[in-house]
């Protein structure tokens, strides 16, 4: 059986850089508003007028799993999600440095590695995103939905203009 | 003792540039119930620490950056902050709120407020990285534009997530309406806060915080915040704002005859369509952006593809910038407004005052009061795009006539004399924003009574004019509705202005954005009363009566700052243009503002003396502000700071 895992799919063209996702993420996981511990990062380019959401995955070969010397980073074969086994983690921080999206973080207050867990299948960032820039879906379906949405947008624009 | 309360960091960061001393202080807990935060805290500090007669550009003046308990939380639009200082443009109370990401970052770094005193010997910038505070040599970036200085500081800090507030050449040269630019394109524009930074040799403030903001009751807060986000997302007008930004206003203003044109001479402009949202978005807009925590995202990134300004790439301008560099100067061309806005952002100048001061010069020239001898041979005329760009450059460089215009329209008319004061459209030195009391009576009163001058942000009533009859009836009663929503009558306008000003005061203590509170009118006092106990744990803030009293205290405190500088009823006046020159055309044709009856009502409602406009002793006592007249100094929180 081929499994198509759900992923956080981002559309940077829709991202406004508001960072509400970072707030919701830190509130959910930490019980407070602290973007520096959010498992999602918006990289803002004020000079280019552009904002790009960085999320965990999808990594076909996850560098965090590859680099971990004690096999604390493990990929769940069913969900496809990578999780930290805290009983093995030796806080070497290799995963922090190697994550291509910069979303594995060392919490220096509680001294532990934090990373996205897709909120166990119901991601907070998706629920709060005001523009639909982050969706939780299978990557193939995201493109279909986008096309579906743009046609609707186009038709409503025609209706508006021809009023 | 660090205050442990939801929403607050509990600390003030104080930086003395003269002695290069940095201190972290706590603030008294009773400020929570007296002021809440933001504007309120800053007003208390400014009143106590900047004595009457202080030169705004002297080291004695303070520059305060303030946040509130909601800043940095998930409540919609929680990224804002405010700069407060004695204003170089007006010589009275000065404040300028700004979006972007600075306020939240300051909270995460662990400070509710930053207070800057003294003046550096050489150019410096302030780098705040949690508890590491550095004054960094800024000689290599002095003279750079706000954008280039921001890039240089971000490169040097090695952290693209730092938030930078910078001044440009205009602030360095103390242009009296110089702005502080946050995140390159978000402006603390009005009253000349950038000139205060320039006078202190402070090129920029950079902040990076890794800490958190905790609220008293997270579950209740998240419930309220999620509901608030839902209300914003589902509001049809907020959706319009997301798409069109504040540009939606151009067409509305044209329709009601209140699009300031030719230096506020008239309220209709033939070229309005090229300044309208539909035209701009379809021809120029390439991306939508938001400030911190904002679901609206009214910021637009724009690019000019052809014509004399081809290649211009910049955020903005807002409606006010469109007005100031469009209709006000008789220019029906968005590309000009975008280029002028970009220049103002880079030099670090307020678009409203810059446009209005240029309009002042053009009308004075048109009337023969200014000649080519004054202007280095330039012919000043309406509708001339190239002229506007040239004048902005001359102002920023204090070159020729630019040196006179750099001090704002009031000061320029004083220096020029010859009766040019007729064309200086300002209140208390602050140039009038893009509204007109003749077609919207309540804004006439707002302009006249605003603490910082002709202000559209502290008490502009929107529901009386833009067809929110249901909202207006809810707030002020069905029996008053007909008069409240009639833009051409003075009756009950003071009621609407006072209650609106009170709500906006609380908005400015939280601090949240103008949009979603003022327009569209989604959140109001009762929403804040629900929100504040969940954030702060202070149950008494759950009463709207209590919030109204806090707002009245804030308004009166700012008023007393101005009274101490000599402001009375005589200064709460509008330019003759609005009170004596009838609107010449459009839907409001023939209208003028009758200010005095509204002023009487306003003072009565505020508990200020009707003859003088000065708060009565009784009012001061009622608002626990009796200390202002007892000559007692602020010994209760650490006393003098040296």
């Amino acid at each position: 059986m081929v499994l198509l895992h759900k992923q956080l799919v981002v559309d940077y063209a829709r991202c406004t850089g508001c960072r509400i996702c970072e707030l919701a993420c830190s509130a959910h996981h930490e019980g407070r508003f602290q973007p520096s511990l959010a498992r999602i990062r918006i990289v803002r380019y004020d000079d280019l007028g552009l904002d790009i959401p960085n999320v965990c995955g999808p990594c076909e070969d996850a560098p965090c799993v590859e680099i971990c010397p004690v096999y604390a980073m493990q990929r769940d074969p069913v969900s496809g999600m990578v999780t930290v086994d805290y009983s093995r983690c030796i806080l070497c921080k290799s995963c922090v440095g190697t994550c291509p999206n910069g979303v594995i973080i060392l919490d220096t207050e509680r001294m532990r590695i934090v990373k996205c867990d897709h909120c166990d299948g119901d991601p907070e960032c998706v629920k709060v995103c005001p523009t639909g820039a982050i969706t939780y879906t299978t990557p193939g379906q995201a493109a279909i939905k986008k096309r579906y949405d743009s046609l609707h947008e186009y038709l409503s624009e025609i209706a508006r203009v021809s009023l | 003792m660090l205050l442990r309360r939801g929403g607050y960091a509990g600390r003030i960061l104080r930086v003395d540039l003269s002695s290069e001393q940095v201190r972290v202080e706590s603030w008294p807990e009773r400020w929570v119930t007296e002021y809440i935060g933001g504007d309120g805290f800053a007003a208390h500090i400014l009143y106590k620490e900047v004595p009457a007669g202080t030169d705004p550009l002297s080291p004695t003046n303070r520059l305060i950056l303030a946040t509130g308990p909601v800043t940095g939380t998930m409540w919609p639009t929680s990224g804002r902050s405010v700069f407060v200082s004695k204003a170089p443009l007006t010589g009275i109370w000065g404040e300028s709120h700004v979006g972007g990401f600075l306020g939240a970052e300051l909270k995460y770094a662990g400070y509710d407020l930053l207070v800057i005193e003294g003046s550096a010997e050489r150019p410096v910038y302030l780098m705040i990285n949690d508890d590491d505070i550095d004054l960094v040599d800024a000689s290599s970036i002095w003279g750079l534009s706000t954008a280039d200085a921001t890039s240089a500081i971000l490169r040097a800090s090695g952290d693209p997530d730092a938030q930078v507030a910078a001044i440009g050449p205009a602030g360095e040269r103390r242009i009296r309406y110089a702005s502080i630019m946050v995140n390159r394109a978000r402006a603390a524009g009005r009253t000349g806060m950038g000139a205060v930074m320039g006078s202190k040799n402070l090129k920029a403030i950079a902040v990076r915080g890794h800490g958190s903001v905790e609220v008293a009751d997270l579950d209740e807060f998240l419930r309220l915040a999620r509901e608030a986000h839902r209300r914003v997302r589902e509001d049809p007008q907020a959706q319009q704002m997301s798409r069109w930004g504040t540009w939606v206003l151009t067409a509305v203003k044209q329709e009601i005859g209140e699009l300031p044109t030719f230096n506020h001479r008239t309220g209709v402009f033939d070229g309005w369509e090229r300044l309208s949202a539909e035209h701009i978005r379809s021809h120029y807009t390439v991306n939508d952006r938001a400030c911190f925590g904002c679901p609206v995202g009214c910021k637009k990134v724009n690019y000019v593809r052809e014509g004399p300004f081809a290649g211009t790439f910049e955020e903005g301008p807002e409606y006010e910038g469109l007005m100031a560099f469009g209709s006000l100067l008789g220019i029906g061309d968005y590309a000009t407004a975008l280029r002028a806005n970009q220049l103002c952002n880079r030099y670090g100048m307020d678009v409203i005052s810059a446009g209005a001061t240029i309009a002042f010069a053009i009308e004075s020239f048109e009337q023969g009061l200014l000649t080519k001898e004054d202007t280095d041979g330039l012919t000043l005329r309406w509708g001339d795009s190239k002229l506007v760009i040239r004048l902005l450059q001359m102002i920023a460089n204090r070159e020729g006539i630019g040196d006179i215009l750099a001090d704002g329209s009031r000061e320029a008319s004083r220096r020029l004399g010859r009766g040019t004061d007729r064309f200086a459209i300002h209140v208390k030195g602050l140039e009038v924003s893009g509204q007109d009391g003749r077609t919207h009576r309540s804004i006439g009163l707002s302009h006249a009574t605003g603490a910082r001058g002709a202000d559209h942000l502290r008490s502009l009533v929107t529901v009386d004019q833009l067809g929110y009859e249901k909202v207006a009836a809810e707030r002020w009663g069905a029996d008053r509705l007909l008069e409240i929503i009639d833009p051409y009558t003075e009756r009950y306008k003071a009621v609407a202005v006072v209650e609106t000003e009170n709500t906006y005061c609380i908005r400015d203590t939280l601090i949240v954005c103008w949009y979603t509170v003022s327009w569209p009118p989604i959140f109001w006092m009762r929403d804040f009363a629900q929100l504040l106990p969940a954030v702060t744990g202070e149950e008494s803030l759950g009463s709207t009566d209590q919030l109204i009293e806090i707002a009245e205290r804030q308004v009166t405190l700012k008023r007393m700052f101005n009274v101490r500088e000599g402001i009375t009823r005589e200064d709460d006046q509008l330019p003759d243009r609005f009170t004596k020159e009838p609107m010449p055309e459009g839907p409001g044709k023939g209208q003028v503002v009758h200010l005095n009856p509204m002023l009487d009502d306003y003072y009565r409602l505020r508990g200020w003396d009707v003859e003088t406009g000065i708060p009565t002793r009784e009012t001061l006592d009622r608002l626990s502000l009796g200390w202002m007249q007892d000559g007692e100094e602020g010994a209760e929180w650490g006393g003098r700071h040296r």
Side-chain angles (χ1 to χ4, degrees):
Chain A
M1 186 171 79
V2 178
L3 282 174
L4 280 177
H5 306 306
K6 276 193 174 182
Q7 297 286 358
L8 289 172
V9 178
V10 301
D11 178 355
Y12 73 86
R14 289 181 182 226
C15 179
T16 62
C18 70
R19 297 171 65 189
I20 297 171
C21 50
E22 295 181 11
L23 290 167
C25 179
S26 66
H28 179 74
H29 291 287
E30 306 292 331
R32 52 193 176 176
F33 300 104
Q34 187 168 13
S36 64
L37 286 185
R39 282 76 163 155
I40 177 170
R41 300 302 286 274
I42 305 301
V43 179
R44 299 174 50 260
Y45 298 88
D46 283 337
D47 47 348
L48 304 173
L50 196 65
D51 308 283
I52 299 183
N54 282 13
V55 297
C56 179
C59 291
E60 210 158 297
D61 293 308
C64 55
V65 174
E66 299 292 318
I67 206 165
C68 183
V70 294
Y71 305 103
M73 283 287 180
Q74 296 168 348
R75 193 198 286 269
D76 184 318
V78 178
S79 72
M81 197 61 207
V82 173
T83 52
V84 190
D85 179 348
Y86 287 102
S87 67
R88 290 170 182 244
C89 177
I90 54 168
L91 282 175
C92 71
K93 305 177 275 292
S94 303
C95 52
V96 176
T98 198
C99 176
N101 293 327
V103 290
I104 301 179
I105 302 146
L106 175 70
D107 174 354
T108 50
E109 202 179 315
R110 292 194 231 173
M111 284 317 283
R112 62 191 174 135
I113 297 294
V114 296
K115 77 172 285 301
C116 177
D117 62 359
H118 287 184
C119 297
D120 300 324
D122 189 20
E124 289 294 318
C125 51
V126 173
K127 286 189 275 184
V128 296
C129 180
T131 61
I134 313 168
T135 44
Y136 189 58
T137 179
T138 52
Q141 198 59 21
I144 300 291
K145 183 172 185 315
K146 192 173 174 181
R147 181 164 294 188
Y148 184 84
D149 286 349
S150 28
L151 187 65
H152 268 281
E153 239 166 71
Y154 179 65
L155 291 175
S156 67
E157 190 67 7
I158 290 176
R160 191 182 63 81
V161 172
S162 58
L163 273 178
Chain B
M1 206 14 223
L2 186 60
L3 179 76
R4 281 282 168 207
R5 238 191 209 286
Y8 299 99
R11 307 195 298 175
I12 299 175
L13 176 64
R14 211 174 254 280
V15 178
D16 185 333
L17 295 171
S18 299
S19 65
E20 303 196 348
Q21 293 289 307
V22 173
R23 300 186 323 117
V24 177
E25 296 170 354
S26 58
W27 45 266
E29 187 167 8
R30 61 185 172 76
W31 279 15
V32 173
T33 47
E34 283 179 1
Y35 302 116
I36 300 174
D39 264 26
F41 286 9
H44 184 99
I45 294 176
L46 198 74
Y47 188 90
K48 290 231 161 166
E49 298 185 19
V50 177
T54 301
D55 175 357
L57 299 177
S58 72
T60 319
N61 197 8
R62 301 283 195 263
L63 179 68
I64 303 166
L65 170 61
T67 68
V70 174
T71 310
T73 70
M74 210 176 87
W75 186 264
T77 77
S78 70
R80 289 180 78 83
S81 50
V82 59
F83 285 95
V84 169
S85 189
K86 188 175 175 186
L89 182 61
T90 58
I92 56 172
W93 167 264
E95 68 176 290
S96 198
H97 285 253
V98 63
F101 297 74
L102 180 70
E105 204 70 28
L106 187 71
K107 287 278 288 286
Y108 298 140
Y111 312 100
D112 297 305
L113 295 102
L114 165 67
V115 181
I116 292 165
E117 335 178 345
S119 167
E121 212 164 291
R122 276 181 293 278
V124 293
Y125 72 87
L126 177 63
M127 182 75 220
I128 301 169
N129 193 338
D130 298 323
D131 283 334
D132 293 332
I133 318 294
D134 281 315
L135 284 170
V136 187
D137 175 45
S139 49
S140 64
I141 57 170
W142 197 255
L144 291 186
S145 73
T146 55
D148 291 343
T150 300
S151 298
I153 290 169
L154 287 178
R155 268 199 309 275
S157 77
D159 189 346
D161 287 336
Q163 310 299 339
V164 179
I167 60 165
E172 296 170 13
R173 297 197 178 101
R174 306 178 189 191
I175 310 300
R176 284 184 182 263
Y177 42 87
S179 62
I180 301 172
M181 297 304 298
V182 174
N183 299 108
R184 289 163 187 265
R186 316 283 156 82
R190 306 231 72 191
T191 73
M193 296 292 121
V196 176
M197 263 176 82
S199 75
K200 295 188 177 307
N201 263 331
L202 182 62
K203 178 70 179 176
I205 300 165
V207 186
R208 180 71 173 109
H210 299 84
S212 65
V213 174
E214 293 180 53
V215 294
D217 182 346
L218 183 67
D219 290 340
E220 174 67 359
F221 175 83
L222 285 176
R223 188 185 69 77
L224 291 169
R226 289 200 181 103
E227 172 67 10
H229 276 279
R230 186 192 62 75
R231 283 168 70 189
V232 175
R233 281 203 223 174
E234 291 177 1
D235 185 278
Q237 275 147 343
Q239 290 167 1
Q240 293 283 304
M241 277 281 290
S242 300
R243 186 159 178 81
W244 310 104
T246 52
W247 302 331
V248 288
L249 285 170
T250 309
V252 176
K253 290 280 186 183
Q254 172 71 12
E255 195 186 330
I256 58 183
E258 199 194 324
L259 184 63
T261 303
F262 304 128
N263 199 23
H264 291 272
R265 214 188 275 162
T266 177
V268 289
F269 179 52
D270 285 342
W272 70 275
E273 271 174 288
R274 288 184 166 266
L275 303 172
S276 69
E278 304 234 342
H279 174 76
I280 301 170
R281 186 162 180 108
S282 56
H283 289 80
Y284 300 97
T285 304
V286 294
N287 204 5
D288 304 306
R289 303 193 81 203
C291 299
F292 186 82
C294 177
V296 177
C298 71
K299 302 298 168 204
K300 308 296 162 204
V301 184
N302 307 288
Y303 179 67
V304 181
R305 291 177 178 80
E306 54 195 10
F309 302 116
T312 305
F313 179 75
E314 186 76 5
E315 260 185 47
E318 303 289 318
Y319 157 74
E320 288 288 341
L322 281 186
M323 178 281 303
F325 295 120
S327 57
L328 197 73
L329 304 177
I331 300 171
D333 176 36
Y334 172 73
T336 306
L338 185 67
R339 177 70 183 141
N341 184 64
Q342 181 182 56
L343 278 180
C344 282
N345 286 355
R346 299 212 167 158
Y347 286 131
M349 295 196 285
D350 177 30
V351 293
I352 303 176
S353 286
T357 306
I358 290 173
F360 153 82
I362 294 176
E363 191 168 14
S364 298
F365 192 94
E366 185 190 38
Q367 300 297 316
L369 306 178
L370 270 181
T371 64
K372 280 189 181 183
E373 281 175 28
D374 302 301
T375 62
D376 303 306
L378 285 177
T379 301
L380 308 191
R381 57 179 176 217
W382 304 115
D384 187 342
S385 299
K386 278 189 186 156
L387 171 80
V388 173
I389 301 303
R390 177 78 194 110
L391 283 175
L392 286 174
Q393 291 163 340
M394 289 170 76
I395 291 169
N397 295 314
R398 282 193 176 273
E399 174 193 338
I401 183 92
D403 184 45
I404 295 173
L405 302 181
D407 288 336
S409 60
R410 178 177 70 178
E411 194 55 30
S413 73
R414 273 188 197 151
R415 281 171 72 178
L416 290 165
R418 311 171 208 173
T420 52
D421 57 333
R422 276 175 60 205
F423 307 120
I425 308 300
H426 69 88
V427 177
K428 303 184 183 81
L430 187 71
E431 284 75 15
V432 173
S433 47
Q435 301 77 30
D436 192 320
R438 290 174 294 185
T439 43
H440 184 193
R441 248 7 149 251
S442 60
I443 187 63
L445 180 61
S446 296
H447 279 155
T449 54
R452 63 176 186 177
D455 193 330
H456 62 297
L457 296 176
R458 301 283 93 72
S459 66
L460 166 57
V461 187
T462 54
V463 296
D464 59 344
Q465 190 194 30
L466 300 177
Y468 298 96
E469 297 187 6
K470 217 177 122 207
V471 183
E474 262 171 42
R475 288 181 191 170
W476 299 301
D479 53 324
R480 294 169 172 175
L481 182 66
L482 282 182
E483 278 146 319
I484 290 264
I485 60 169
D486 181 349
Y488 303 141
T489 166
E490 279 76 15
R491 250 169 89 76
Y492 298 131
K493 290 301 157 13
V495 175
V497 166
V498 164
E499 289 189 21
T500 302
E501 189 174 28
N502 286 345
T503 308
Y504 294 4
C505 273
I506 301 303
R507 175 201 72 198
D508 292 346
T509 63
L510 296 178
I511 300 171
V512 293
C513 187
W514 208 90
Y515 300 107
T516 71
V517 177
S518 311
W519 193 85
I522 301 173
F523 305 117
W524 201 245
M525 213 58 131
R526 61 177 175 275
D527 301 296
F528 300 153
Q530 278 190 328
L531 165 67
L532 278 165
V535 174
T536 63
E538 174 57 49
E539 292 301 325
S540 71
L541 297 180
S543 138
T544 50
D545 287 343
Q546 177 77 6
L547 295 186
I548 289 169
E549 190 184 304
I550 292 169
E552 288 176 331
R553 181 175 299 118
Q554 191 198 113
V555 174
T556 298
L557 179 49
K558 290 178 186 173
R559 179 66 173 186
M560 287 300 286
F561 185 91
N562 286 345
V563 165
R564 205 171 56 175
E565 301 291 343
I567 296 292
T568 65
R569 176 170 182 145
E570 277 175 37
D571 302 282
D572 296 343
Q573 298 299 327
L574 292 173
D576 287 353
R577 178 138 287 172
F578 304 119
T579 55
K580 295 191 177 139
E581 294 175 29
M583 183 63 91
E585 56 191 322
K589 187 175 178 185
Q591 293 289 330
V592 291
V593 185
H594 304 287
L595 184 61
N596 280 325
M598 292 196 290
L599 269 185
D600 291 347
D601 289 349
Y602 180 85
Y603 296 141
R604 266 187 224 110
L605 288 165
R606 282 269 170 246
W608 301 353
D609 184 78
V610 174
E611 300 293 312
T612 61
I614 296 173
T616 61
R617 175 74 211 205
E618 201 186 340
T619 299
L620 293 180
D621 284 337
R622 181 175 71 80
L623 299 173
S624 324
L625 290 171
W627 54 267
M628 305 187 101
Q629 289 194 337
D630 298 337
E632 163 204 327
E633 284 299 320
E636 79 278 8
W637 63 292
R640 302 287 85 212
H641 303 287
R642 235 164 292 291

